Amino acid sequence: MTLSDIAAATERALPEMTEDLRTLVELETPSDDKQLLNAGLAAIHGWLVARLGEPDETERHDCGPHGDVLAVTYRGTAPGTALLLCHYDTVWPAGTLAEWPFEVADGKASGPGVFDMKTGLVQAVWALRLLRELNLPHPSVRLLLNGDEEIGSPASRPHIERLSEGVLATLVFEAAQNGALKTSRKGVGLFDVTAHGVESHAGLDPLAGASAIHALAEVIPHITALGAPERGTTVNVGLISGGTGRNVVAAQARCGIDIRITEPAEMARLDAAFGALAPSDPRVRLTVSGGWNRPPMVPNEPSRQLFKQAHAIAAELGWELEETAVGGASDGNFVSALGRPVLDGLGALGSGAHARHEHTLLDAVPARTALAVGLLRSLASDAS
């Protein structure tokens, strides 16, 4: 069967895929609502069985206050396993759907989470469905769904790392960047710096106090100076809070910091710099909390070879597949840091992630799905 035949099959499936997308978007799954996440995952599990049948293996892991991890495996016709990574949580709070329902207009599907990343989940499931319907050779496919990606995957990370071990490839169905696959992503550090001062009355006894706010204002320029754009490192102080009143010398103040890095070595440099921060008033104590949320995704040789395969498949489908580097992170960062083959950005075309104009271009869904089908078939050839 040619890739043209596969592309035609994905085109025929688009109406059903669109209805599946509606089903998923109408499941509200905000990262911070365990009850909705549980209900959403149960519905998604039922949808998986309806589309693919009962899996050969099923794992569900309780992730405490975060969305649970569901991993289902369908046996293939060739050796080896491919891991498909998708998250089912979104940044949108409960109730968003009532004021912003799923809608299809002018070739675009819009709604909370439609681009990031429920279209990708639909494409991943339909890629496997079409492989089986068309009797194409493919490795076993393990689909991992996590419900805490939008908050950094604190509970699902060990499961992602464990289940990506020894696989032929990990395919991440996050949205594409203008059609390009994401072969490089920045690492993310999320830090809080808190100043602990000495409280006093600002009028009656100002010198008895040691202002945490003043101390924090003093060290923030040192923090932002740690950015090194020439190395791909950016530092943003995005939150600041402190004090209890304008006539009180503040006893405490805190700032929240977002750091993005391209080079893994930057983690050690920045850790050391945070440890050396000190205000000029010795009465004020600084504490640093938080840490590195995700390591950078730096292309390794197995991932480069995987992109070459994808590029060749897209060319046979009649379009030019590009690669790109982006500032955002994903669960693919964890896999890449372990030196394992990973491709990211296999999901939707569209734009507006985390914004009210979030949308998916439906005309692109069949071609992206055909790419995934072709890539999984190619992995079967590699493994045999």
Side-chain angles (χ1 to χ4, degrees), residues 56 105 120 160 164 174 184 254 271 274 304 312 323 334-335 347 373:
D56 296 295
I160 293 166
S164 66
E174 291 281 4
S184 299
R254 183 177 66 181
D271 284 341
F274 273 102
R304 291 190 186 96
E323 59 181 317
F334 301 135
V335 180
V373 172

Side-chain angles (χ1 to χ4, degrees), residues 110-148:
S110 63
V114 69
F115 182 63
D116 185 12
M117 65 165 293
K118 289 182 175 178
T119 298
L121 176 52
V122 170
Q123 291 175 189
V125 169
W126 272 88
L128 178 53
R129 180 184 170 104
L130 290 167
L131 280 166
R132 301 167 82 195
E133 281 188 355
L134 300 172
N135 293 315
L136 297 174
H138 63 279
S140 296
V141 173
R142 179 181 298 140
L143 179 65
L144 188 154
L145 309 178
N146 64 321
D148 61 350

Side-chain angles (χ1 to χ4, degrees), residues 33-226:
D33 192 319
K34 179 72 172 189
Q35 186 174 354
L36 284 175
L37 288 166
N38 279 341
L41 187 56
I44 291 168
H45 193 185
W47 167 68
L48 287 175
V49 172
R51 283 295 180 229
L52 300 172
E54 289 288 345
D56 296 295
E57 298 174 26
T58 301
E59 298 180 22
R60 178 161 174 163
H61 300 280
D62 185 351
C63 292
H66 307 301
D68 289 353
V69 167
L70 177 67
V72 296
T73 302
Y74 291 87
R75 291 198 193 99
T77 59
T81 299
L83 176 64
L84 312 187
L85 282 187
C86 301
H87 66 86
Y88 62 93
D89 63 318
T90 76
V91 300
W92 299 102
T96 303
L97 194 65
E99 57 192 46
W100 181 26
F102 179 83
E103 182 181 25
V104 174
D106 300 322
K108 299 177 182 178
S110 63
V114 69
F115 182 63
D116 185 12
M117 65 165 293
K118 289 182 175 178
T119 298
L121 176 52
V122 170
Q123 291 175 189
V125 169
W126 272 88
L128 178 53
R129 180 184 170 104
L130 290 167
L131 280 166
R132 301 167 82 195
E133 281 188 355
L134 300 172
N135 293 315
L136 297 174
H138 63 279
S140 296
V141 173
R142 179 181 298 140
L143 179 65
L144 188 154
L145 309 178
N146 64 321
D148 61 350
E149 193 276 341
E150 296 291 3
I151 56 173
S153 305
S156 60
R157 177 177 182 173
H159 300 293
I160 293 166
E161 293 177 336
R162 174 177 58 86
L163 292 173
S164 66
E165 183 176 4
V167 301
L168 299 170
T170 295
L171 307 181
V172 186
F173 283 79
E174 291 281 4
Q177 180 75 14
N178 297 321
L181 296 188
K182 299 168 181 177
T183 53
S184 299
R185 285 183 177 269
K186 288 192 175 185
V188 180
L190 304 174
F191 293 87
D192 289 316
V193 174
T194 304
H196 308 269
V198 179
E199 197 170 53
S200 71
H201 193 294
L204 297 176
D205 202 9
L207 298 182
S211 173
I213 289 177
H214 295 183
L216 194 61
E218 180 185 0
V219 300
I220 283 176
H222 296 285
I223 294 171
T224 58
L226 295 172

Side-chain angles (χ1 to χ4, degrees), residues 1-6 9 130 133-136 316 377:
M1 178 173 288
T2 68
L3 282 169
S4 295
D5 296 327
I6 293 171
L130 290 167
E133 281 188 355
L134 300 172
N135 293 315
L136 297 174
E316 193 173 340
R377 183 176 69 165

